[in-house]
């Protein structure tokens, strides 16, 4: 396993609208995608773009995630953390199937099947107890031109 690019930091929020206002008005974000529902995961998502080292808006994104209802997998997190907070880190890998096999061979607990994530690429999550206390999303590197959602 080779550590890939930090694609995004997932931030759970009880209100995407309030979080967008915070990142825009307090943090000065100028590029925020329109929120969209990921019904199969029970969440509403949008991305806050951050500048990269070259000043272009190609840095690590902040993924804002709001539960779509009480049955959302995120609802429990918000119940324990009513203000929201850091939920997960997401790292890119070149081949999702190979990465999954490597994590399984290391005895890491993978949460659920590989599925399509918010960037339209295959993802899976690794249990925080196997990842230094942090829920970790592993994501296949998006193909050219598909990384940025805006």
């Amino acid at each position: 396993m080779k550590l890939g690019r930090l694609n995004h930091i997932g931030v759970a929020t009880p209100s995407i609208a309030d979080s967008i206002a915070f990142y825009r008005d307090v943090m000065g974000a100028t590029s925020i995608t329109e929120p969209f529902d990921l019904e199969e995961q029970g969440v509403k998502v949008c991305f806050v773009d951050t500048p990269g080292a070259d000043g272009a808006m190609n840095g690590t994104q902040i993924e804002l995630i709001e539960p779509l209802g009480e049955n959302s997998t995120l609802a429990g997190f918000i119940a324990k953390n009513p203000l929201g907070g850091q939920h997960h880190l997401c790292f890119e890998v070149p081949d999702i199937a190979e990465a999954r096999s490597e994590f399984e061979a290391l005895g890491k607990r993978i949460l659920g099947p590989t599925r399509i994530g918010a960037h339209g690429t295959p993802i899976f999550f690794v249990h925080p107890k196997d990842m230094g206390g942090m829920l970790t999303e592993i994501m296949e590197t998006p193909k050219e031109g598909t990384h940025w959602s805006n």
Side-chain angles (χ1 to χ4, degrees):
M1 185 67 210
K2 183 179 177 187
L3 181 66
R5 177 181 180 276
L6 178 61
N7 180 280
H8 66 266
I9 298 167
V11 176
T13 176
S15 169
I16 275 190
D18 290 349
S19 292
I20 288 172
F22 169 79
Y23 279 97
R24 183 189 60 233
D25 301 341
V26 176
M27 300 301 292
T30 58
S31 179
I32 302 173
T33 66
E34 283 295 318
F36 59 96
D37 293 350
L38 277 178
E39 295 279 347
E40 59 280 355
Q41 294 184 35
V43 295
K44 180 184 295 274
V45 176
C46 77
F47 291 94
V48 178
D49 296 327
T50 66
D54 60 0
M57 295 306 273
N58 59 1
T60 298
Q61 290 181 308
I62 299 164
E63 179 186 38
L64 299 175
I65 28 180
E66 174 186 332
L68 281 177
E70 293 181 18
N71 294 330
S72 170
T73 56
L74 197 60
F77 183 92
I78 294 294
K80 292 177 190 168
N81 305 279
L83 297 176
Q86 184 176 330
H87 182 259
H88 67 272
L89 297 177
C90 176
F91 293 98
E92 294 180 10
V93 296
D95 184 300
I96 199 77
E98 183 179 314
R100 186 178 178 108
S101 292
E102 289 180 27
F103 276 106
E104 289 172 336
L106 291 170
K108 304 300 182 190
R109 288 170 279 187
I110 296 180
L111 304 173
T114 299
R115 56 195 176 276
I116 300 301
H119 282 101
T121 63
I123 66 161
F124 62 84
F125 286 89
V126 185
H127 198 287
K129 290 183 179 175
D130 293 332
M131 300 300 287
M134 178 59 61
L135 179 62
T136 304
E137 179 180 352
I138 303 299
M139 171 182 142
E140 190 164 279
T141 301
K143 305 303 179 227
E144 188 66 34
T146 62
H147 179 75
W148 305 107
S149 304
N150 57 354

